[in-house]
Amino acid sequence: MTDQRDPWAERTVEMPPGEQNPFRRGRAQVGPARPADPAQPHIPTGTGWPGDTTSIPRPVFAEELRLFRRGAGVMLIGALFSFVCWGLWAISDGGNLGTPVALFVLTALVALGLYALARVVGRVVLEKQLGRVRRSARGAHLVTAVFLAGVGIAYLRQIDWVVDAWSWFARMF
């Protein structure tokens, strides 16, 4: 009996005694190799010629969506920080909220445009120029998160009590 701790033992089936072994020892019969016909054209398989880096197969939509989600948490944190800072600025400003809401919607649209631009640049540079496969959207998410964090800091710099608190804290050190 074989020791079950061997890695191949779990894939090996012991034959019960008295049964005829359906397997034969020997070599598999392989037909002669067919010569390549130079008259037949290359049949494209979607991956291009060997060594060709210009045609990288695109992933299916589900895979694209999974790749999109990698790094989305960083952008979500940046968007949340920007939203909280915008809310503090809108409340401390007082008055009508129409202009601040329109300004935040415009900021969100610029952030989406920046994300799309970062994805396009990543596709052109990484996939087309360098021939690499992108495995996530982390770079585009990070660029957008840095932009949104900068927008949030810009909102905070427009609030008087935050600027006063920062000045007081800076004078202490």
Side-chain angles (χ1 to χ4, degrees):
M1 184 117 191
T2 61
D3 188 9
Q4 291 296 320
R5 288 174 288 182
D6 290 335
W8 53 268
E10 60 192 30
R11 295 185 301 261
T12 304
V13 178
E14 296 286 334
M15 294 296 296
E19 276 194 32
Q20 182 67 24
N21 188 354
F23 305 108
R24 292 183 300 163
R25 287 186 178 233
R27 293 187 180 158
Q29 294 179 357
V30 180
R34 289 182 280 169
D37 187 9
Q40 291 211 347
H42 169 71
I43 300 172
T45 59
T47 58
W49 293 94
D52 183 19
T53 59
T54 58
S55 60
I56 296 174
R58 299 292 303 154
V60 294
F61 181 72
E63 179 72 14
E64 222 16 85
L65 190 59
R66 188 179 65 80
L67 294 178
F68 165 76
R69 289 182 182 160
R70 287 186 182 173
V74 175
M75 190 170 72
L76 185 63
I77 290 171
L80 185 62
F81 177 74
S82 177
F83 179 73
V84 168
C85 294
W86 168 81
L88 290 172
W89 172 73
I91 290 171
S92 69
D93 189 35
N96 188 7
L97 287 179
T99 303
V101 168
L103 186 62
F104 188 73
V105 168
L106 181 64
T107 302
L109 289 175
V110 169
L112 286 174
L114 181 66
Y115 175 77
L117 179 67
R119 289 288 289 172
V120 167
V121 167
R123 179 177 173 139
V124 168
V125 171
L126 286 178
E127 289 185 359
K128 298 294 182 186
Q129 298 295 325
L130 299 177
R132 294 183 55 198
V133 176
R134 288 187 297 177
R135 291 181 176 83
S136 70
R138 287 186 182 121
H141 285 298
L142 184 63
V143 167
T144 308
V146 168
F147 168 75
L148 288 171
V151 167
I153 291 171
Y155 283 135
L156 285 179
R157 292 185 68 181
Q158 295 180 14
I159 304 172
D160 292 333
W161 62 269
V162 172
V163 172
D164 293 339
W166 180 258
S167 298
W168 176 80
F169 184 74
R171 278 192 307 252
M172 287 181 61
F173 298 103

